[in-house]
Amino acid sequence: MLVFTAFQTCGMIQNIVISSMKDQYVNYNGNGYISLAIVYTAFALSNWLAPSIICAIGPKISMLIGGATYSLFIANFFFHETWCLYVASCLIGFGASLFWAGQGNFLTINSDSDTMSRNSGVFWALLQCSLLFGNIFVYFKFQGKSEIDEHTRFIVFGVLLGISIIGLVMLCCLRSSETESVNVTNNTGTASESSGAIAEFNKAVSLFKTKKMILLAITFLYTGFELSFFSGVYGTGIGFTKRFGSDAVKYVGISGICIGAGEIAGGALFGILGKKTNKYGRDPVILLGYLFHMITFFGIYINLPSKATLHETMQPAIINSSVTLAMVCAFGLGFGDACYNTQIYSILGSIYSDDSAPAFALFKFFQSIAAAIAFFYSSALELPYQLFIMAVFGTIGTFTFCIKDCAMCLFDLSGEFKVLISWCKCKYL
């Protein structure tokens, strides 16, 4: 929560801050979208190494090393050197793979089959509280400003850096997972015969080839596209919509708070209260998230100018741009994202309990490669095209998540008659 209070706030305001830095420093040519694209590209590639590193040094040390790169990334905004931005982006991409795969591994080995869903929801809700605190601070610091001056930038990023360091100190207090871990299942199945860094890499490659992981990968890709949108693009679009006022950048903080409220509501509803809300399985929750996102995308389409994610504009939207609608849509983005992520964490922790580090690493690989692609095209594509891409992947990803069990029957049987029998036996039909 503390580390991401710093980083998620940083990511949401990054493009607007960099835009102001370009006006202040002649030789500064940073690009917020390209920086985040580099972050997620490095993140995606590093996820193949993360399980091996976690196996060698453990999830706790992995999270500490990864968390330190988040602090370095925030610190780069004290300098106005373009190379600092991009080097820090590469470093945090590597660190994020250790941070997230280590977290998934730590969560899994400290949960059992009865607590996995609850613990995933608690984790997700606490994590998304980061969107509240950092953005409340940003709202007050950016109020009345049409451009982010150096003094304001130093104060904001100084506070964020301090918060991230406090988060690192608290990570040191985590229990020793190697000696107190438990299996997520109630079964006493045998452990993997092979262990070690090379074995963990081989596990990741093997999981990558499985049919169920291939189907889930489409859902993972969608979460990456929408992650890039709500974490970096949507706030930029609000801040650049000058029909919200000359100091529209102050609403970036409010939108982050609304996204966080949606994330927390979803995490609490489908994680902490999971036994009551998930009685019909994970698929209805995924479908609810899909519905929320499609309605939200339509609301954003009619409310924000098409060029708002690229530069400041007075261009009219389809309707009169409404701050209230923008905040409602921000909540919808967060709630829908929570629906997807709580169920993904739950299913990975349950199905891949013996291989949690490779499974979570693959999830983050697919998610981050999609986020990297999205940040690259966000620097050139107007808003309607971005929304269309997310709508397409959201539809396909939701479908593959919901039919993964049905499709497994089809993959494993040949012949029309056997296929028909397998479909008739499927619980979804």
Side-chain angles (χ1 to χ4, degrees):
M1 182 184 71
L2 291 171
V3 172
F4 270 75
T5 291
F7 175 70
Q8 292 205 107
T9 305
C10 175
M12 288 190 166
I13 65 174
Q14 176 176 336
N15 211 39
I16 291 173
V17 170
I18 288 175
S19 178
S20 296
M21 290 174 69
K22 285 181 178 179
D23 295 334
Q24 296 163 11
Y25 310 111
V26 177
N27 296 324
Y28 188 77
N29 297 305
N31 184 298
Y33 289 145
I34 299 301
S35 166
L36 290 169
I38 292 173
V39 169
Y40 284 98
T41 300
F43 187 12
L45 297 176
S46 299
N47 270 302
W48 290 100
L49 300 175
S52 299
I53 297 173
I54 292 167
C55 179
I57 64 177
K60 178 178 176 179
I61 301 300
S62 298
M63 284 187 282
L64 282 169
I65 294 173
T69 64
Y70 283 80
S71 297
L72 289 174
F73 181 78
I74 295 166
N76 101 85
F77 286 95
F78 292 111
F79 308 95
H80 50 86
E81 297 291 341
T82 306
W83 66 268
C84 283
L85 174 66
Y86 295 139
V87 169
S89 299
C90 289
L91 288 175
I92 194 177
F94 170 74
S97 67
L98 298 180
F99 201 70
W100 279 101
Q103 171 272 319
N105 180 238
F106 188 87
L107 178 68
T108 300
I109 62 180
N110 287 285
S111 304
D112 56 35
S113 58
D114 294 327
T115 60
M116 186 65 205
S117 180
R118 181 203 66 189
N119 291 351
S120 297
V122 171
F123 159 75
W124 194 254
L126 284 173
L127 169 68
Q128 299 307 332
C129 284
S130 62
L131 287 166
L132 301 182
F133 307 130
N135 284 294
I136 290 173
F137 172 64
V138 165
Y139 170 74
F140 287 107
K141 293 304 298 181
F142 283 6
Q143 199 165 24
K145 296 182 181 294
S146 58
E147 183 178 276
I148 310 306
D149 57 84
E150 184 179 79
H151 177 69
T152 301
R153 172 165 54 89
F154 280 14
I155 292 177
V156 169
F157 285 96
V159 171
L160 296 182
L161 178 60
I163 292 172
S164 71
I165 292 173
I166 294 173
L168 291 179
V169 172
M170 295 195 70
L171 282 175
C172 296
C173 301
L174 291 175
R175 68 197 296 182
S176 178
S177 58
E178 289 81 4
T179 58
E180 299 182 50
S181 63
V182 294
N183 197 316
V184 74
T185 64
N186 288 326
N187 300 323
T188 58
T190 59
S192 175
E193 294 180 359
S194 59
S195 60
I198 296 177
E200 289 300 304
F201 177 80
N202 291 334
K203 287 179 184 178
V205 174
S206 298
L207 283 179
F208 181 76
K209 298 176 181 178
T210 61
K211 301 173 182 71
K212 183 162 285 190
M213 183 60 74
I214 291 172
L215 289 169
L216 289 172
I218 308 298
T219 312
F220 300 162
L221 288 171
Y222 172 62
T223 64
F225 285 118
E226 53 98 2
L227 166 67
S228 67
F229 186 78
F230 80 74
S231 66
V233 178
Y234 187 58
T236 299
I238 291 175
F240 282 166
T241 301
K242 292 307 175 183
R243 287 181 175 268
F244 290 151
S246 60
D247 60 346
V249 292
K250 69 182 181 183
Y251 294 120
V252 176
I254 299 298
S255 70
I257 294 169
C258 292
I259 291 171
E263 295 276 13
I264 294 167
L269 188 61
F270 303 118
I272 300 172
L273 303 177
K275 285 188 176 180
K276 295 182 178 180
T277 58
N278 293 355
K279 65 174 66 176
Y280 300 109
R282 300 181 180 94
D283 295 350
V285 180
I286 291 290
L287 290 170
L288 179 63
Y290 171 77
L291 179 64
F292 259 82
H293 271 176
M294 292 305 112
I295 294 174
T296 298
F297 294 160
F298 178 75
I300 294 171
Y301 170 70
I302 63 175
N303 191 47
L304 294 186
S306 60
K307 298 181 183 297
T309 57
L310 300 176
H311 53 72
E312 294 182 354
T313 180
M314 283 294 293
Q315 176 191 13
I318 294 176
I319 63 173
N320 290 329
S321 297
S322 166
V323 173
T324 301
L325 179 57
M327 299 308 131
V328 171
C329 289
F331 180 89
L333 288 173
F335 186 84
D337 182 68
C339 290
Y340 281 93
N341 278 279
T342 54
Q343 303 315 299
I344 288 172
Y345 269 81
S346 179
I347 196 171
L348 290 181
S350 299
I351 295 177
Y352 303 107
S353 58
D354 293 331
D355 299 314
S356 58
F360 279 98
L362 283 173
F363 164 46
K364 285 300 173 180
F365 167 75
F366 286 111
Q367 186 183 68
S368 54
I369 202 69
I373 293 170
F375 278 121
F376 272 118
Y377 70 58
S378 295
S379 63
L381 288 183
E382 294 183 358
L383 179 61
Y385 298 105
Q386 297 186 45
L387 294 171
F388 176 75
I389 291 171
M390 287 192 295
V392 171
F393 271 89
T395 301
I396 299 173
T398 300
F399 178 74
T400 56
F401 186 96
C402 293
I403 60 96
K404 61 187 179 300
D405 294 316
C406 303
M408 288 298 291
C409 299
L410 295 177
F411 278 132
D412 293 335
L413 292 171
S414 60
E416 293 182 2
F417 184 68
K418 289 183 178 180
V419 170
L420 177 61
I421 292 175
S422 69
W423 273 95
C424 291
K425 290 181 178 179
C426 178
K427 66 179 180 179
Y428 292 95
L429 299 176

